[in-house]
């Protein structure tokens, strides 16, 4: 009889550990803010060797934006910031369309995220994302920022704007220079000088935006390139280091709008 009771207790404990139900007060939405590694999907551990990139997801609880990498492609979507604490619905995520040697991890990640209906703390620096049956389908681990703002310091050539290469041999080759300590920028958009500051967010190490960038008012024979650069600069919301060592600047939908190279 005692053995039966012990077995029941063990089973009950295991069920409680694998469930998103909790008698504790639900955690506020702000608890999921920031960038997280996806370390487990439907009970299976995710390792860097399974795909080209370790999957991760970033929640911006101020704007309701979600972005990240599903193992091969960048992904993006949104969620309701007014949902009750503990509730979270991501639905279908949009993403880029690259093909990688192994797409299994990506399919599993996207399939699990489409099922998410809630979240719950899973221990120190970890979080469960749960389905409609309150079963954890994804385990997240808080990601330490591995990109520091200081990487931007110095002068960078503007190589691409919204997917189009900047013509070489221009009379005034576009560039942007960062002074990270002063949080200022200066440069040239192809014709006119640009000057201003930039803003970041304490909750997201990769956030950056350029409100109120000013430029001189000269007219040049070809203003098309300058127009594309200034438009892209106004859309920037984040940055990241690219595989080749350059810097990518991304808009609110996590689309690459500017490519910078030393």
């Amino acid at each position: 009889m005692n053995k039966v009771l012990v077995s029941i207790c063990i089973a009950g404990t295991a069920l409680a550990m694998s469930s998103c139900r909790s008698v504790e007060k639900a955690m506020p939405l702000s608890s999921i803010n920031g960038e997280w590694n996806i370390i487990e999907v439907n009970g299976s551990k995710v390792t860097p060797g399974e795909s080209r990139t370790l999957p991760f997801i970033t929640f911006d609880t101020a704007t309701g934006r979600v972005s990240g990498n599903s193992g091969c492609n960048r992904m993006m979507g949104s969620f309701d910031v007014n949902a009750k604490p503990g509730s979270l619905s991501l639905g279908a995520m949009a993403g880029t369309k690259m093909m990688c040697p192994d797409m299994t991890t990506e399919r599993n990640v996207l399939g699990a995220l489409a099922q998410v209906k809630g979240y719950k703390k899973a221990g120190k620096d970890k979080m469960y994302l749960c389905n409609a049956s309150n079963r954890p389908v994804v385990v997240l681990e808080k990601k330490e920022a591995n990109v520091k703002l200081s990487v931007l310091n110095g002068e960078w050539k503007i190589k691409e704007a919204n997917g189009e290469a900047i013509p070489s041999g221009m009379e005034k080759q576009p560039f942007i220079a960062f002074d990270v300590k002063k949080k200022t920028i200066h440069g040239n958009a192809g014709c006119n000088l640009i000057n201003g500051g930039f803003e970041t967010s304490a909750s997201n190490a990769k956030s950056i935006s350029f409100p109120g960038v000013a430029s001189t008012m000269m007219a040049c024979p070809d203003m098309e390139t300058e127009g594309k650069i200034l438009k892209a600069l106004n859309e920037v919301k984040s940055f990241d280091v690219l595989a080749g060592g350059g810097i990518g600047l991304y808009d609110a939908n996590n689309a690459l709008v500017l490519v910078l190279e030393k």
Side-chain angles (χ1 to χ4, degrees):
M1 182 68 177
N2 288 339
K3 289 183 178 180
V4 172
L5 288 174
V6 170
S7 297
I8 292 174
C9 290
I10 292 173
T13 301
L15 181 63
M17 289 176 66
S18 63
S19 172
C20 282
R21 287 192 177 92
S22 175
V23 295
E24 299 176 5
K25 184 178 179 181
M27 300 189 70
L29 187 65
S30 59
S31 62
I32 67 171
N33 196 69
E35 194 168 56
W36 303 79
N37 283 324
I38 298 174
I39 62 171
E40 192 174 307
V41 176
N42 284 317
S44 296
K45 184 179 179 181
V46 178
T47 60
E50 293 179 7
S51 60
R52 190 173 62 91
T53 307
L54 182 67
F56 69 90
I57 190 167
T58 302
F59 297 97
D60 187 335
T61 54
T63 64
R65 298 280 186 180
V66 59
S67 60
N69 188 294
S70 48
C72 174
N73 286 283
R74 299 183 74 89
M75 59 183 179
M76 59 213 75
S78 61
F79 58 94
D80 183 5
V81 297
N82 296 312
K84 65 180 182 180
S87 295
L88 178 69
S89 181
L90 301 177
M93 303 280 282
T96 52
K97 301 295 184 181
M98 289 173 56
M99 289 297 294
C100 296
D102 177 15
M103 300 294 287
T104 304
T105 296
E106 173 148 314
R107 286 193 294 268
N108 292 341
V109 167
L110 293 176
L113 291 178
Q115 300 176 47
V116 171
K117 296 298 179 184
Y119 61 91
K120 180 182 179 294
K121 190 173 178 62
K124 181 176 172 58
D125 296 327
K126 291 185 179 180
M127 195 74 65
Y128 288 136
L129 298 185
C130 311
N131 64 12
S133 300
N134 291 302
R135 181 178 66 83
V137 292
V138 175
V139 180
L140 307 178
E141 184 174 53
K142 196 71 173 177
K143 186 175 183 180
E144 294 184 11
N146 56 5
V147 176
K148 297 184 182 298
L149 190 64
S150 58
V151 74
L152 296 175
N153 215 47
E155 186 172 311
W156 300 81
K157 296 176 183 177
I158 301 175
K159 302 296 290 186
E160 291 182 22
N162 282 311
E164 295 185 20
I166 303 300
S168 59
M170 295 178 62
E171 184 178 348
K172 296 180 180 179
Q173 204 66 35
F175 75 93
I176 184 170
F178 294 83
D179 186 325
V180 170
K181 187 175 182 180
K182 295 180 180 178
K183 280 197 170 183
T184 60
I185 63 166
H186 73 271
N188 191 295
C191 173
N192 286 283
L193 297 174
I194 54 175
N195 289 280
F198 61 87
E199 295 180 356
T200 58
S201 169
S203 64
N204 183 356
K206 296 180 181 179
S207 72
I208 192 167
S209 60
F210 304 93
V213 171
S215 67
T216 52
M217 304 297 288
M218 290 174 57
C220 298
D222 181 10
M223 301 292 288
E224 184 178 357
T225 296
E226 176 157 311
K228 290 176 181 178
I229 290 173
L230 293 177
K231 180 179 182 296
L233 199 61
N234 286 330
E235 296 171 348
V236 171
K237 297 298 180 186
S238 65
F239 75 95
D240 205 349
V241 176
L242 300 175
I247 296 294
L249 299 179
Y250 300 86
D251 66 12
N253 294 316
N254 213 33
L256 183 62
V257 293
L258 284 172
V259 174
L260 311 179
E261 289 186 2
K262 277 291 188 182

